[in-house]
Amino acid sequence: MERRVAGVMYILITIALVNEMSTVHARDNNKRRTKDKTGGFQKNICDITDRDSKVHCYCENAREPRNASKAECWVFNGGISPDDYIWQSFASQPTLQTLSFNVRVDGALGYVPTKALQYLQRLRTINIKYGNIVDVTTFAFANLTNLKEVTLSQNQIETLQQYAFAHLPNITMINLEENMIVEIGRDAFFDLPKLQKLVLTKNNISHIKDGAFQHTFNLLELDLNRNNIQNLNRHTFDGLANLRRLDLRRNHIFNLTEFTFAELWNLQELLLGKNDLKYISERAFDGLSQLRKLSLDDNKLAALPSGLFEGVRGLSSLDLRSNELHALTFDNIKPILDNLKPQNSNLLVEENNFVCDCRLKWMHSLRNDTKSQSTKDSLESVTCKNDPPIVSSAYNKMSAADTNLDFNKEILHAGITIETIDKNNITDKKTTAEDLSKDHMNDILAPSKKGVKRTVLKIPPEALPCPVEVRTTTEIIPYMIDPIIPIQNEMKTFRFHDMNSGNRLSVSIVWSMCFVFLFT
Ligand SMILES: *[C@@H]1O[C@H](CO)[C@@H](O)[C@H](O)[C@H]1NC(C)=O
Ligand SMILES: *[C@@H]1O[C@H](CO)[C@@H](O)[C@H](O)[C@H]1NC(C)=O
Ligand SMILES: *[C@@H]1O[C@H](CO)[C@@H](O)[C@H](O)[C@H]1NC(C)=O
Ligand SMILES: *[C@@H]1O[C@H](CO)[C@@H](O)[C@H](O)[C@H]1NC(C)=O
Ligand SMILES: *[C@@H]1O[C@H](CO)[C@@H](O)[C@H](O)[C@H]1NC(C)=O
Ligand SMILES: *[C@@H]1O[C@H](CO)[C@@H](O)[C@H](O)[C@H]1NC(C)=O
Ligand SMILES: *[C@@H]1O[C@H](CO)[C@@H](O)[C@H](O)[C@H]1NC(C)=O
């Protein structure tokens, strides 16, 4: 009897419990649903089941609330407001260290979601790709103390507001590649004491405010490749005393003024290839005592100021290919000549407009002395022409240039062994100087008609003629003397400050006089 009563009571209790549990469950479900509808900031951002949600994240550490370290989020259906409740849901994963947003639909994410980032005090890496962020606003990264890397590549950023990147004590890398940034203002990068690498490649930067980088004094690498920069001055890079590598390739810089890089006294690599450089101040590289590598390839340089490398005596890799150089003198090269002899050094000089004359003599000895195969290969492919110097636009105000310009147009179209038609009837009959062994010179110069490119190293060094001006100023038969002497005289006419002070055409004039003399 008692047993039966106990049995009934047990069943009743069980039923009651089951009943109670199911109502609790139903209430929970209701609760969750209403939370969802009101934006539910307690939602776990790693476990969003609502198919209509504009953001879905896949997290590394299962779906435990408050425990994921890595989240990859997909942003769908544009038009999330910066204040949308969805951003508050990131508070559900305060231990996130790595967060990335992949934006799927055009126009879906037009700002840095600061409202989400502010909860993520442990965040180390953030990456937003393919968004249409136009503007990085003040304190966009919420002063996150642990943030180390920010990547906002391939957005449409035009403006970095004041303090866009500010108070980020641990940040080491900012990547803004492939945006449309037009200007770097003075305080866009502010209080970033550990920033080492700043990538601004493929933007549209045309203006950098003086001192724009002065709050990023630990920067080691600054990449400004493929922008629209035309002007730099001595304050552009203020504060970058630790910079090791500066990439300015593929811009439109045409004038390098003195002390442009004077603050960069730790710089090791300076890349200026593929610009429009025509003018370089003799003191442009002053201060770069640590510089090892300099690229100036694919520019429009017709001559280098003779003391250009005086300030960069550590240089062991120099690229001057594809310019319009008509000479590269021993004086130009002398300060760095010894650096160009070890195996891992590098001097690249082909594809210029060199004139076959004694200023190129040093190439013979460097080819013999250097252990660098690439330097040897480059020197062996350097060509020159017997024509008057190419009259580059740097010198083209010269009246006597007209004939030379015609002349040079033909040369431009001349192939390696094709002779140009001699409109001016300047033959090379008399290119030999009377005071030389005529037979010898005729042998050497006979095949070298105007417009023909010749391989410098195939011309015996003693056969390279020296300009008239050199002969008259040295009082020694120039073909017989040490190349240093004429070059030192000649260097004076090439100095940049001379060119600026009204003598800029003197070189060409001397040269054309010299060649008129030689060829008539
Ligand atoms: C949190 O994640 C760690 C692994 O990162 C795991 O060992 C731990 O059990 C998780 N804690 C909770 C409460 O899920
Ligand atoms: C970041 O720090 C600055 C200066 O301390 C402060 O004015 C600003 O309100 C902070 N911003 C955020 C989002 O915390
Ligand atoms: C930088 O990060 C380290 C490790 O994440 C942390 O210990 C340190 O406090 C951070 N520094 C600052 C200034 O917050
Ligand atoms: C780059 O900036 C210039 C203004 O400096 C502007 O005229 C030009 O349209 C911009 N180019 C692109 C591709 O946005
Ligand atoms: C190069 O820049 C300097 C300084 O801005 C200026 O004085 C000089 O005239 C410029 N040269 C040319 C050829 O534009
Ligand atoms: C370079 O070496 C070659 C052969 O090894 C020699 O004939 C020539 O005189 C040398 N030239 C110079 C400038 O030392
Ligand atoms: C070129 O000049 C020479 C004299 O130096 C003359 O004999 C010859 O006919 C001239 N040729 C032309 C094409 O004018």
Side-chain angles (χ1 to χ4, degrees):
M1 191 61 185
E2 273 179 15
R3 269 189 175 191
R4 203 183 279 171
V5 169
V8 168
M9 279 182 72
Y10 179 77
I11 289 165
L12 283 176
I13 288 167
T14 312
I15 288 168
L17 272 176
V18 167
N19 210 12
E20 176 62 14
M21 272 168 69
S22 59
T23 53
V24 165
H25 195 206
R27 237 184 284 146
D28 266 7
N29 275 351
N30 277 339
K31 221 193 222 166
R32 204 191 289 173
R33 251 183 245 124
T34 49
K35 269 270 159 63
D36 275 3
K37 280 204 181 112
T38 58
F41 56 82
Q42 282 173 4
K43 226 189 301 191
N44 179 0
I45 193 67
C46 293
D47 187 21
I48 290 173
T49 48
D50 177 3
R51 284 178 167 272
D52 294 334
S53 175
K54 291 170 177 172
V55 178
H56 283 269
C57 298
Y58 300 88
C59 301
E60 199 172 60
N61 279 347
R63 291 171 170 184
E64 298 296 336
R66 314 190 68 82
N67 205 14
S69 64
K70 185 172 178 182
E72 180 143 355
C73 301
W74 303 82
V75 182
F76 304 94
N77 315 324
I80 312 175
S81 126
D83 296 318
D84 196 288
Y85 282 118
I86 190 80
W87 301 125
Q88 294 182 17
S89 304
F90 282 81
S92 65
Q93 295 292 351
T95 63
L96 277 180
Q97 295 186 7
T98 302
L99 174 62
S100 60
F101 289 98
N102 294 300
V103 183
R104 302 309 298 173
V105 181
D106 268 0
L109 188 56
Y111 50 89
V112 176
T114 313
K115 284 267 158 30
L117 302 185
Q118 65 187 355
Y119 300 108
L120 308 178
Q121 289 298 322
R122 302 211 197 153
L123 201 64
R124 289 162 159 265
T125 306
I126 176 152
N127 184 346
I128 304 177
K129 259 192 296 193
Y130 314 118
N132 68 328
I133 301 172
V134 174
D135 202 358
V136 181
T137 53
T138 300
F139 304 125
F141 297 92
N143 304 345
L144 290 174
T145 53
N146 286 298
L147 198 59
K148 289 191 102 135
E149 297 191 355
V150 171
T151 302
L152 298 178
S153 55
Q154 293 166 307
N155 279 276
Q156 293 164 36
I157 303 169
E158 286 171 21
T159 313
L160 304 178
Q161 289 188 0
Q162 191 183 31
Y163 308 128
F165 297 87
H167 304 305
L168 302 170
N170 259 324
I171 199 146
T172 58
M173 198 277 292
I174 297 175
N175 183 347
L176 293 164
E177 187 166 343
E178 272 198 66
N179 280 287
M180 288 146 79
I181 301 167
V182 174
E183 179 183 277
I184 307 293
R186 197 163 287 127
D187 295 317
F189 302 98
F190 189 82
D191 185 21
L192 308 172
K194 289 193 183 164
L195 188 65
Q196 297 188 344
K197 184 170 177 179
L198 177 55
V199 182
L200 292 162
T201 309
K202 292 196 198 169
N203 276 276
N204 189 18
I205 299 167
S206 58
H207 197 66
I208 301 176
K209 281 260 163 63
D210 289 355
F213 303 109
Q214 65 190 345
H215 305 295
T216 58
F217 43 84
N218 277 313
L219 208 57
L220 299 179
E221 193 174 335
L222 175 57
D223 195 336
L224 288 160
N225 191 348
R226 287 183 194 266
N227 276 283
N228 196 12
I229 302 169
Q230 288 162 35
N231 295 301
L232 301 171
N233 69 59
R234 65 169 74 183
H235 299 297
T236 307
F237 300 114
D238 270 3
L240 294 177
N242 289 297
L243 201 69
R244 300 286 197 278
R245 184 177 191 271
L246 176 57
D247 189 346
L248 287 163
R249 284 176 295 171
R250 294 189 169 85
N251 278 280
H252 295 107
I253 305 165
F254 74 99
N255 180 5
L256 272 191
T257 56
E258 53 186 9
F259 310 121
T260 300
F261 309 105
E263 294 251 331
L264 308 181
W265 48 275
N266 271 304
L267 200 68
Q268 295 177 358
E269 208 173 303
L270 175 58
L271 307 179
L272 285 161
K274 299 190 167 64
N275 275 281
D276 300 327
L277 276 174
K278 205 181 264 184
Y279 307 96
I280 299 191
S281 155
E282 185 160 33
R283 317 209 61 183
F285 302 130
D286 275 21
L288 294 174
S289 57
Q290 302 296 311
L291 200 70
R292 306 260 161 73
K293 176 172 179 176
L294 173 63
S295 77
L296 291 165
D297 54 296
D298 288 287
N299 278 289
K300 298 186 174 140
L301 297 167
L304 299 180
S306 67
L308 185 63
F309 303 128
E310 292 282 359
V312 285
R313 287 173 172 269
L315 204 61
S316 60
S317 174
L318 174 62
D319 190 348
L320 286 165
R321 285 176 295 180
S322 302
N323 274 282
E324 296 167 10
L325 292 173
H326 53 76
L328 185 59
T329 68
F330 183 70
D331 267 309
N332 287 146
I333 289 296
K334 197 167 60 176
I336 60 167
L337 188 63
D338 285 340
N339 309 339
L340 298 174
K341 292 175 182 170
Q343 195 173 2
N344 56 359
S345 65
N346 210 6
L347 173 68
L348 306 175
V349 285
E350 62 263 37
E351 300 295 326
N352 274 288
N353 292 337
F354 292 125
V355 178
C356 302
D357 67 44
C358 62
R359 292 175 298 179
L360 302 180
K361 268 187 186 176
W362 60 268
M363 290 185 179
H364 281 272
S365 30
L366 181 59
R367 190 261 317 254
N368 278 15
D369 292 347
T370 187
K371 292 192 176 66
S372 157
Q373 191 58 44
S374 54
T375 301
K376 273 186 201 179
D377 292 346
S378 175
L379 289 174
E380 276 162 15
S381 62
V382 176
T383 57
C384 64
K385 292 174 193 155
N386 279 1
D387 309 288
I390 297 303
V391 180
S392 90
S393 37
Y395 300 104
N396 67 7
K397 283 179 191 155
M398 188 179 67
S399 57
D402 298 340
T403 50
N404 288 338
L405 280 172
D406 277 345
F407 197 60
N408 290 326
K409 264 183 224 139
E410 287 166 12
I411 294 160
L412 284 177
H413 296 122
I416 286 180
T417 55
I418 299 168
E419 262 178 54
T420 55
I421 298 157
D422 190 359
K423 264 190 205 160
N424 300 321
N425 196 13
I426 300 169
T427 68
D428 60 350
K429 262 196 287 190
K430 294 179 183 171
T431 42
T432 57
E434 302 91 301
D435 44 22
L436 274 183
S437 153
K438 277 189 181 153
D439 287 350
H440 182 52
M441 288 306 287
N442 274 333
D443 281 352
I444 291 153
L445 293 177
S448 63
K449 304 235 169 71
K450 270 182 331 80
V452 180
K453 282 187 187 170
R454 307 178 64 205
T455 304
V456 173
L457 292 186
K458 287 190 177 150
I459 309 172
E462 65 278 8
L464 288 165
C466 280
V468 170
E469 185 236 16
V470 171
R471 271 193 282 163
T472 55
T473 54
T474 56
E475 298 178 30
I476 311 172
I477 301 166
Y479 304 106
M480 305 301 170
I481 59 170
D482 189 299
I484 296 171
I485 297 168
I487 284 159
Q488 275 175 348
N489 278 300
E490 177 241 325
M491 126 190 178
K492 295 192 184 78
T493 51
F494 273 89
R495 289 183 93 93
F496 190 71
H497 52 81
D498 284 348
M499 283 161 58
N500 272 351
S501 62
N503 289 342
R504 78 170 65 208
L505 306 174
S506 62
V507 175
S508 303
I509 292 167
V510 166
W511 272 97
S512 27
M513 278 162 52
C514 147
F515 277 89
V516 166
F517 171 77
L518 281 175
F519 290 134
T520 50

